[in-house]
Each structure stands twice: as structure tokens, then as C-alpha cells.
Amino acid sequence: MSFTSRLVAWWMHLPPAETRDITIKRDIQIPMPDGVILLADHYAPRASSKLPTILIRSPYGRRGFFGALMALPYAERGYQVLVQSCRGTAGSGGEFYYARNEHDDGLATIEWIKQQEWFSGELATLGGSYLGFVQWAVAADAGPELKALVPQITTADFNHFRFQGGSFNLESSLDWSTMMTTQAATGLNIGIRSILAQFGRASKLERAFGHLPLGKADQVVISRPSQHFQTLLQHGPDDDYWKPVDFSHRLAEVKAPAYLMGGWYDLFLAWQLKDYQALRAAGKQPYLLIGPWTHTGTSGAGITVREALAWLDTHVKGKPGRLREAPVRLYIMGENTWRDFADWPPPARTERWHLQPDGALSPATPPTSEPDHYRYDPADPTPGIGGNSLGSRKRMGPKDNRALEARPDVLVYTSAALEHDMEVIGPITAELYVCSSLQHTDFFVRLCAVEESGKSINLCDGILRLTPGSIPPQPDGSLHLSIEVWPTAYHFRKGQRLRVQISSGAHPRFARNLGSGEPLASGTKLCVADQTVYHDPEHPSAILLPILNA
């Protein structure tokens, strides 16, 4: 343990440990009100008692990775850590249902903690992704003992992020659902055997992403239905079925201070920022950290643990001088530096960069010009390369988009080389005037930074799924779309160019739009869409950029 913890501390550049002598009590049985028993491991410094407790609730297991990276760094620095396996996972009793039991089970666990002789009266919660959602599930009802929470790469709304712009996040949903169906009960294993098994799983996933109907795609991967995947297909994002997994409406009731940590290429980014703004609107002062990370990247592990320790030491132990003054810290890509701000989004002026004839992009109003056209064929769907996905590493994060931009089903609009540096920091929106031969179709918009070498790197993007009547037509029959293109923070250097891509999908990150209007689970008919994008004075299609300097 000492060697592992020292290695982790070196890798993360952590502050010195108070002790390396940690006791671990395994497989503690914690009863739930319905009689189900959940298992937990308790980490504590041997020579101390009545230290503050950090509760970490996980559906992915308690051993190995979680012990070394989630529990030991905090136990060695003056905390008790209780790592509990969620219902139906890693030996805990009951059956695992996506996000539905975390409120009641979490509160029951907190009540159990309060009864333990080792509990000091100070409680904190910690963790990322699902481990972050479980914090929001209990935060409003945990009581005054909850002194701080650190939800990372997550959101209080564990429903709508799976249906971005009305389109279904296929890659992350199918991958995660089938994984949990086969591994929830035993917990995830990151050993050599498990890693080797992933190669076979990856090839099955690739076949499943292209399978129709989607209702059978899970069986391509694991040879049986996945309950988690099937409920996603059966219940749309606004179905009452998902109300128990959305706690965003209760953020204003959370009294404990929260430190939100996310990544520019994380699939929860926009939703986590909505959580931050909801807390601000309720008069709270959360802290916010956004780094240049994907959902599963490890490059941010050090800074997130160091920042979490400072947050907990301040709000749980009452140690002064541990926090920076400005509550928002952003990694500015392009400049590759951290910078602090008073709030999110930082003050900026909005510039409209208009699509122009001949693939140009500039702030000038477009001249009278003929529109551009492309054909989207769901039999050969436009691929997703890079972005805020969860799945194959080739489809996550910043990637060279030149091969994608060479496809005939992708329109590209590029600015002249910039004559001065320019910073784009904040939420981005695209306003497009379009027309489609189909009533059921998607429009996808992406902002890229183009190096002087020609390399085109994706920064952020957004998608909008159209259905009959969802967008009222203009008098001439065109549609005026407003597409949420996710936030970014990028320092464009002199000589670089801005680029906007327009297409009708990013498969398999998003389920391809078949064009037929058939149900998501059972559709098989493929319809080709002929798409039109306008750029003229009456149809000034543009991307709206938050500019911090000129």
C-alpha cells in the first residue's frame, strides 16, 4: 500500500501525507430500509479517530483503482473514507437500476454513518460521473452534517444528457449499458484479462452501432437484452419515467458548498455548466474547474485531487488560505494555460461570423448568393471524429478533422488567417437557415481551429434533431435553426483560421437519423436527405462567438 500510495502521490503532485499507516475494513454490511444489504470498505488513519468522513458511492466496485486513486489520497491526508458499492453492484444486494435507487440508498447510508462511533459529525461527498450524480441525489436532504461536495464530470440531471439536441447518444449509451449488464454484479476489473477481453468487446460494439433495428443492438454486443439500454429506447427524454433520475430542480435547496469539476471534451460539460448556473441563480457560490479533458482521460487526475483536498480542508476542516480567490478556473486551450475568472460565463461580446459563398467565413453580412447543398445518406452516415463522446478513444477529444471535412456530406466554411490573436470563451450558438427534403433529419454544427499547417482541430459542436412541425417554416419555406454549440475556451493565435462544419450527423456518437420517422428502437427504413444551407442577406446563417478580446 505504501509503495502504491507514494507512486500515486508522486504522479499527482499531492501535498505531503499526514500518515501512510491506513487501516482498511472490508465488506462492511450496511442495511437499507427494505432489508437489502450494501457493502462498503472503510479507510482510516490507524492512529486517529473522529476524523471527518468522505462518502464515495460507486457502481463500479471498491477495490484496486478505487482504493488507490479515490480513497488512499484522502485517508493519508486526514480523512476517513467510506467507499460503498451501489445497490446490485460489486457484491451489494438488490438489483442495479440506472440511477433510480441512489436517493433513498444514499440517505440511508448517511443515516448509518451518523450512528457510527467513529463519525465526527462532518461529512463530505466526492467522485466523478455516476459517483458525482449520487452526490446530487442526496445533497438537498443530507442534513447539516454534509459540509461539502465535489461532483466531477457529472450532472444533477442524469436523463437529458443522453438526448443531446433531441438526438440519441448511441455510442455512450450502448457501451455503458451493455458493460453494466454484464459487470455490475461483480464490479469492473481492470486487470490484464479484462483488458484483453475489451478488444473483442470493441469489435462487437462497432458492429452493433451499425445494426438495425437499434432495439437489437445490445444483443449484438452481449447476446442478450440490456435492461438499461432497452429502457432508454422505450422512454424518451421528457417521459415521466425519468423524473426520479433528475435532481436539477433541487439544486437551489442544496446548502453544502459544491466544487464542480469538468472537461471541455466531457459528455456532461453543458449539463454541468447548467448546474453551476442554477446554483448561482439560487444565490450560491460554487467553485468551477474545467480542464482540457475527455470523460475518461487521466491527465487531470492530479489537479482535481489537489483542488478537492483544498476544498475539503477549507469547508470540512475549516483550514484558512487553502482556496484561490476567484471561484472559476478555466484551462484556455491554444494558449495552454489556466486562468481564473469571477464567474461563468466570463463577460464577453458576441460576434456573428457568417457563412459566406465559396466556403468562406467572416463577420461580414453575406452577399446575395446561391445556397450550398449536400446529401445525407444514413446507409453511409457521416462519422463522428473527436468531440464530447464516451467510447472509442479515436472518437473522443480533439482530433484532426481533415479526413472528415473531405467528405461530400460535410460543408466547410473557413475564415481568412487571423491578423491578431482572438479568444473565444463561453457558450456558442449557431443560427442556420436550412431546408431539407425530409421532415425527419438532423443538423450538426462544429467549430474548429485550423493550424497554419492545415490541421483542423475540433473545439465544440452541437446537434439538432428535426421532426414535423418542430421548427415553424419561414415564409419562403426555409427553416431558421438555433443550435446550441457547446462551450469552449480557446485562444486563437495570429495566423490561425476559424472553421465551421455543417453536416447531418456524427455516427455512432449520435444515432443516425434514418429519415423515415420510425421509432428509435424498431426503425429500419433508410431515407436519403437532400440538405440546403443558405447564406445571403435574407438568410444570414452564422455562428455566434463570445469574444473576450479583439
Side-chain angles (χ1 to χ4, degrees):
M1 181 192 304
S2 177
F3 172 76
T4 300
S5 65
R6 290 175 189 274
L7 182 63
V8 168
W10 170 82
W11 173 51
M12 293 184 174
H13 303 286
L14 299 185
E18 296 180 11
T19 179
R20 302 284 183 187
D21 190 7
I22 304 299
T23 64
I24 307 175
K25 187 175 181 181
R26 305 282 191 188
D27 298 329
I28 300 171
Q29 297 189 2
I30 303 177
M32 298 293 104
D34 62 355
V36 168
I37 301 297
L38 305 189
L39 300 183
D41 296 344
H42 182 237
Y43 294 71
R46 187 182 303 275
S48 301
S49 62
K50 296 287 186 178
L51 293 173
T53 300
I54 299 173
L55 172 62
I56 300 171
R57 305 190 64 247
S58 167
Y60 304 126
R62 306 183 305 283
R63 308 291 165 81
F65 169 86
F66 287 99
L69 296 185
M70 295 298 295
L72 282 177
Y74 300 95
E76 293 176 344
R77 288 159 183 83
Y79 293 90
Q80 302 182 81
V81 184
L82 188 75
V83 183
Q84 183 188 60
S85 291
C86 294
R87 179 179 294 245
T89 71
S92 284
E95 188 172 353
F96 177 70
Y97 286 100
Y98 174 85
R100 302 186 76 81
N101 293 301
E102 309 313 342
H103 175 265
D104 292 353
D105 286 353
L107 291 180
T109 300
I110 291 172
E111 289 305 310
W112 179 88
I113 291 173
K114 292 176 184 179
Q115 303 305 314
Q116 303 310 300
E117 56 86 18
W118 43 258
F119 182 55
S120 67
E122 295 95 11
L123 176 70
T125 58
L126 176 73
S129 194
Y130 198 101
L131 287 71
F133 166 76
V134 299
Q135 299 177 63
W136 288 127
V138 300
D141 299 319
E145 292 84 358
L146 181 62
K147 306 301 182 184
L149 57 156
V150 187
Q152 303 159 321
I153 52 172
T154 192
T155 176
D157 178 356
F158 236 48
N159 170 29
H160 289 92
F161 78 91
R162 301 170 300 174
F163 299 92
Q164 184 179 337
S167 186
F168 178 52
N169 290 36
L170 172 61
E171 181 174 27
S172 59
S173 298
L174 182 60
D175 189 354
W176 190 89
S177 297
T178 53
M179 176 188 71
M180 293 302 293
T181 297
T182 58
Q183 295 184 274
T186 57
L188 303 190
N189 185 342
I190 59 174
I192 296 297
R193 183 177 299 178
S194 176
I195 293 172
L196 292 175
Q198 289 301 312
F199 289 105
R201 173 179 165 80
S203 63
K204 291 178 181 179
L205 277 167
E206 292 301 322
R207 293 198 302 273
F209 293 144
H211 184 81
L212 292 176
L214 276 183
K216 300 291 185 181
D218 48 357
Q219 298 183 45
V220 175
V221 185
I222 58 174
S223 302
R224 67 181 189 273
S226 164
Q227 180 267 335
H228 320 302
F229 186 69
Q230 292 300 322
T231 54
L232 259 176
L233 298 179
Q234 295 163 12
H235 302 280
D238 298 320
D239 194 312
D240 286 348
Y241 178 85
W242 297 119
K243 284 186 176 180
V245 308
D246 181 1
F247 292 88
S248 59
H249 63 287
R250 302 203 61 194
L251 288 170
E253 302 174 54
V254 177
K255 294 181 173 59
Y259 193 159
L260 286 63
M261 301 183 187
W264 291 123
Y265 293 99
D266 178 46
L267 77 162
F268 290 113
L269 173 65
W271 305 101
Q272 190 160 33
L273 290 171
K274 292 179 193 295
D275 292 345
Y276 173 87
Q277 291 181 300
L279 290 168
R280 293 290 291 125
K284 319 289 185 181
Q285 183 53 80
Y287 266 45
L288 176 68
L289 178 83
I290 308 178
W293 312 308
T294 63
H295 190 72
T296 57
T298 59
S299 61
I303 188 172
T304 55
V305 173
R306 295 193 301 272
E307 291 287 304
L309 279 167
W311 185 254
L312 298 175
D313 285 353
T314 298
H315 293 288
V316 180
K317 292 184 177 180
K319 291 185 177 181
R322 301 302 302 272
L323 290 177
R324 63 181 185 270
E325 182 177 345
V328 175
R329 175 163 289 177
L330 308 177
Y331 188 87
I332 312 302
M333 297 179 292
E335 189 178 64
N336 300 329
T337 58
W338 291 96
R339 199 182 307 163
D340 295 345
F341 298 88
D343 206 352
W344 171 269
R349 59 184 176 84
T350 300
E351 279 192 6
R352 296 178 61 94
W353 284 63
H354 292 98
L355 312 187
Q356 305 284 345
D358 302 318
L361 179 73
S362 83
T365 301
T368 300
S369 55
E370 292 299 312
D372 293 323
H373 307 275
Y374 66 96
R375 171 166 287 192
Y376 175 76
D377 185 355
D380 179 24
T382 313
I385 297 179
N388 299 61
S389 188
L390 173 61
S392 171
R393 291 193 177 276
K394 69 181 179 182
R395 289 192 288 265
M396 288 195 297
K399 302 294 182 186
D400 188 346
N401 276 230
R402 283 178 289 186
L404 174 64
E405 293 165 353
R407 287 179 58 102
D409 56 359
V410 179
L411 298 180
V412 176
Y413 300 87
T414 309
S415 74
L418 294 176
E419 297 181 355
H420 51 74
D421 289 6
M422 183 176 75
E423 286 188 346
V424 176
I425 303 178
I428 295 172
T429 302
E431 291 187 3
L432 301 183
Y433 291 85
V434 303
C435 190
S436 176
S437 62
L438 300 178
Q439 290 187 305
H440 294 272
T441 193
D442 292 351
F443 282 91
F444 177 83
V445 180
R446 168 169 281 180
L447 175 66
C448 295
V450 183
E451 302 285 356
E452 294 186 55
S453 65
K455 188 176 183 180
S456 178
I457 302 297
N458 57 289
L459 301 180
C460 54
D461 50 53
I463 194 168
L464 183 64
R465 175 150 292 196
L466 303 185
T467 56
S470 60
I471 303 294
Q474 302 288 298
D476 61 1
S478 65
L479 302 177
H480 181 197
L481 311 183
S482 179
I483 301 177
E484 182 182 351
V485 182
W486 279 24
T488 193
Y490 193 85
H491 183 100
F492 286 89
R493 301 182 306 276
K494 177 182 177 180
Q496 285 187 302
R497 301 169 187 264
L498 285 73
R499 176 168 291 168
V500 172
Q501 298 175 14
I502 298 176
S503 62
S504 288
H507 187 264
R509 176 179 165 192
F510 302 109
R512 54 185 160 172
N513 196 320
L514 304 185
S516 62
E518 296 172 286
L520 184 64
S522 59
T524 58
K525 183 180 179 182
L526 303 177
C527 301
V528 173
D530 290 310
Q531 315 290 58
T532 300
V533 177
Y534 297 91
H535 41 69
D536 58 60
E538 289 73 38
H539 308 89
S541 296
I543 190 164
L544 281 62
L545 303 177
I547 307 296
L548 263 68
N549 60 3

